[in-house]
Amino acid sequence: MLQTNTKTLAKLFNINCGTNVEFSGIYTDTRQRMDGGVFLALIGDNFDAHNYIQKAEEMGAVAIIASRQVSSRLPVLLVKNTQDALSKIAKHHLNNIKPMAVAITGSNGKTTTKNLLANILKLSAPTLKTAGNLNNHLGVPMTLLKLEPTHQYAVIEMGANHLGEIKHLRELVQPDVAVVTNTGDAHIGEFGSKENLISAKGEIYSVDSQNITNTNTNYTADLSFGNDGDVFASNIHESNFTLNIKEKNIDVSLQLIGKHNIDNALAASACAHALGIDIDQIKLGLENTKAESGRLNTIRTEKFTLIDDTYNASPTSVKAALETLSQYRGELVVILGDMAELGDEAISLHQQVGKLAKQITANFYSFGTLSKHYQAQHFDSQQQLSDHIIKNHLDSTVLVKGSRIAQLDKLITLLQK
């Protein structure tokens, strides 16, 4: 966490300081205590934190960073743009600590790759990783501000929904290692075309980093992973495989289900190798990693085996989840919600995924507006859908997947009652 004083920040912004105050931490949310910290007033599409200065005072702030005049009993640093100020503070803090930084982006697998790599690196030294999905223009600098002097590694996930965003984040983090996990169809509607998506993800690479690429993409890099890559898997059986890194190999048994997670493990292994980590430690870190809630997380209850993949959904990730489900024995059930951010191709992509799901099982259900295009048995009520599954499919394996807007995590809760 950043610990300094307002005089240092004023010098960073090239402005007058006024009263010099020591502080610990930068805060942007007045719903949390910020005792001894600085409140930075962001402005978003639907909010202006300048309206909550008094609340920040009540929550323990000792100074304010604002982009317009505000009424406060606390010292106020007046900057042109508080979002830019946040990035500038984060970069300053990063440069003071100087951890080895890894930047990860991609259409799918970013978070899992981040977790795998962080679990490998923390076996060597204290490691900071992006919390949850705080991977955008605000989340990344807030993550960097959590760096402590003891951190020797930082694993930073980067997301984007338009050209130039990854470039901005890469310039902020200045990664030593950069990787694009893949370039699928997630969020393609936000970019306008597959070409724009590929270009946006490629912004993570620079001449200043060791660049790692998936052999399924067309980027030029220093190290590759996947089929015919520098890092590849052989002898694959479910979640077990042989990890090959250059001339070395070792057997790995993942706790993560789904063959696509082997690709994520290869991406993490390639990053670790680029940082000089030996293959035995890579194996241990990979095998210690468990699934996060909502990401192909297996939940066994008295009624079912639930595969909770409700965190997000794209055509590529749904296909991977369906392939995973197909490996299970017994009765199989698929419940799919809307896939968001697919643009003009949304209807056709839902139809294509629906056809694939029907090849896996006839027990196919949907919930949501766009999900009607799966042409499954459709429900407008999660409670009714839950009641139907409980009544008709006890002892089955049930895959539940959809984008966050579908809120199918609530269905997971219903099915566990």
Side-chain angles (χ1 to χ4, degrees):
M1 178 181 289
L2 174 66
Q3 296 183 357
T4 184
N5 53 60
T6 53
K7 182 179 180 180
T8 299
L9 294 188
K11 185 177 180 180
L12 187 64
F13 302 142
N14 195 27
I15 60 176
N16 293 325
C17 173
T19 304
N20 187 33
V21 177
E22 300 286 332
F23 70 89
S24 178
I26 301 291
Y27 297 84
T28 61
D29 188 347
T30 55
R31 293 171 295 183
Q32 66 178 128
R33 296 295 307 179
M34 53 188 83
D35 297 304
V38 169
F39 176 64
L40 186 142
L42 292 170
I43 300 175
D45 294 335
N46 302 306
F47 71 92
D48 185 346
H50 291 80
N51 298 325
Y52 299 94
I53 299 300
Q54 183 177 348
K55 182 64 176 177
E57 294 175 357
E58 295 171 359
M59 297 301 280
V62 296
I64 306 293
I65 299 175
S67 58
R68 61 177 170 84
Q69 294 290 341
V70 294
S71 176
S72 177
R73 59 179 176 79
L74 302 176
V76 178
L77 297 176
L78 195 60
V79 298
K80 291 182 179 179
N81 183 296
T82 49
Q83 182 177 307
D84 291 344
L86 177 63
S87 293
K88 185 171 287 189
I89 297 169
K91 189 170 184 176
H92 169 78
H93 185 52
L94 172 71
N95 288 338
N96 282 338
I97 294 179
K98 293 183 172 62
M100 296 292 288
V102 180
I104 300 171
T105 193
S107 296
N108 303 105
K110 295 186 294 295
T111 298
T112 302
T113 301
K114 171 198 72 181
N115 290 337
L116 288 161
L117 179 58
N119 282 341
I120 294 168
L121 297 178
K122 72 180 184 181
L123 295 171
S124 290
T127 300
L128 176 74
K129 69 173 183 177
T130 302
N133 66 331
L134 297 177
N135 60 14
N136 64 6
H137 61 291
L138 300 178
V140 169
M142 290 303 293
T143 296
L144 295 178
L145 287 170
K146 294 183 182 299
L147 281 166
E148 300 286 355
T150 56
H151 284 129
Q152 295 184 33
Y153 297 107
V155 183
I156 308 299
E157 179 181 335
M158 297 181 179
N161 58 18
H162 61 267
L163 288 166
E165 189 168 3
I166 294 292
K167 180 177 182 290
H168 166 72
L169 297 177
R170 185 249 300 159
E171 291 174 346
L172 173 60
V173 174
Q174 308 162 77
D176 299 280
V177 176
V179 62
V180 178
T181 58
N182 50 58
T183 53
D185 39 29
H187 315 295
I188 194 170
E190 298 292 307
F191 291 97
S193 69
K194 182 67 176 287
E195 291 73 21
N196 283 347
L197 183 149
I198 292 171
S199 179
K201 300 299 182 184
E203 291 170 357
I204 202 168
Y205 295 133
S206 79
V207 295
D208 298 318
S209 58
Q210 293 188 73
N211 301 320
I212 299 173
T213 185
N214 189 327
T215 55
N216 287 335
T217 64
N218 293 320
Y219 301 115
T220 300
D222 304 301
L223 192 70
S224 63
F225 68 92
N227 294 335
D228 300 319
D230 299 303
V231 179
F232 66 95
S234 58
N235 304 320
I236 298 172
H237 178 68
E238 295 181 346
S239 296
N240 306 310
F241 66 100
T242 300
L243 172 63
N244 302 269
I245 303 179
K246 297 294 181 72
E247 72 284 354
K248 295 183 178 181
N249 61 76
I250 196 168
D251 291 335
V252 174
S253 181
L254 295 177
Q255 296 189 58
L256 309 176
I257 63 174
K259 288 185 177 179
H260 62 287
N261 276 320
I262 294 178
D263 287 335
N264 296 331
L266 294 178
S269 299
C271 291
H273 175 72
L275 291 170
I277 305 299
D278 70 71
I279 197 169
D280 294 305
Q281 181 176 319
I282 291 173
K283 167 188 168 70
L284 186 57
L286 295 178
E287 293 184 335
N288 284 344
T289 304
K290 298 180 180 180
E292 282 194 1
S293 176
R295 297 178 187 272
L296 275 183
N297 183 36
T298 302
I299 304 171
R300 302 189 189 279
T301 73
E302 293 181 357
K303 303 185 185 81
F304 322 98
T305 296
L306 297 174
I307 301 177
D308 177 7
D309 204 15
T310 57
Y311 179 79
N312 218 336
S314 67
T316 298
S317 66
V318 174
K319 292 171 188 175
L322 290 171
E323 181 182 359
T324 300
L325 178 68
S326 70
Q327 306 303 312
Y328 283 75
R329 296 180 179 179
E331 184 181 30
L332 306 180
V333 177
V334 173
I335 302 173
L336 297 181
D338 290 0
M339 298 182 294
E341 300 177 349
L342 297 178
D344 295 338
E345 299 182 66
I347 292 176
S348 63
L349 288 171
H350 279 79
Q351 291 171 340
Q352 291 173 29
V353 168
K355 291 178 181 178
L356 287 175
K358 290 174 184 177
Q359 294 174 12
I360 302 297
T361 179
N363 306 316
F364 180 23
Y365 305 95
S366 61
F367 172 82
T369 304
L370 284 169
S371 68
K372 293 178 180 179
H373 298 291
Y374 290 127
Q375 298 178 345
Q377 184 174 344
H378 189 78
F379 284 80
D380 292 319
S381 161
Q382 288 196 19
Q383 184 64 62
Q384 291 177 0
L385 175 53
S386 174
D387 293 343
H388 179 85
I389 300 299
I390 292 171
K391 181 179 179 180
N392 295 281
H393 298 293
L394 290 178
D395 298 321
S396 60
T397 300
V398 184
L399 169 67
V400 185
K401 185 167 181 63
S403 289
R404 276 170 285 179
I405 59 169
Q407 298 185 333
L408 287 179
D409 55 312
K410 296 179 180 178
L411 179 62
I412 291 290
T413 300
L414 291 172
L415 289 170
Q416 292 182 80
K417 289 184 177 179

